[in-house]
Amino acid sequence: YNVAQNSQNLGFGYSSNPQTPGLYTISLSASNGGGEVASTSINVRVVPLPAGLPLLLGAFGGLALLRRKRRQVA
């Protein structure tokens, strides 16, 4: 089986800084020489730390509330 990989990291292949806020699409496809046999992609949204920190704190707060409610029920 021939396997080829085109990968990118922070030091290679990007035309802009991937840490810049925005929406990025990462795609992966596989072919067997005669055509594409499978593909998938994922969207990654990068938010600046000042905007991301309240989201993170809110998520932790929500998890803490769920945990507290489950303890009261049990």
Side-chain angles (χ1 to χ4, degrees):
Y1 298 107
N2 284 336
V3 177
Q5 178 182 0
N6 286 333
S7 60
Q8 296 182 351
N9 59 35
L10 291 176
F12 174 76
Y14 286 100
S15 59
S16 64
N17 184 356
Q19 295 175 339
T20 302
L23 181 65
Y24 296 89
T25 302
I26 300 170
S27 300
L28 175 68
S29 61
S31 64
N32 64 0
E36 187 176 283
V37 294
S39 67
T40 188
S41 65
I42 185 172
N43 291 326
V44 178
R45 183 174 304 277
V46 177
V47 295
L49 184 58
L53 189 58
L55 291 172
L56 182 63
L57 293 176
F60 284 138
L63 290 173
L65 287 174
L66 284 174
R67 186 174 181 192
R68 186 174 180 186
K69 283 186 178 184
R70 287 186 180 170
R71 280 190 181 172
Q72 290 176 352
V73 171

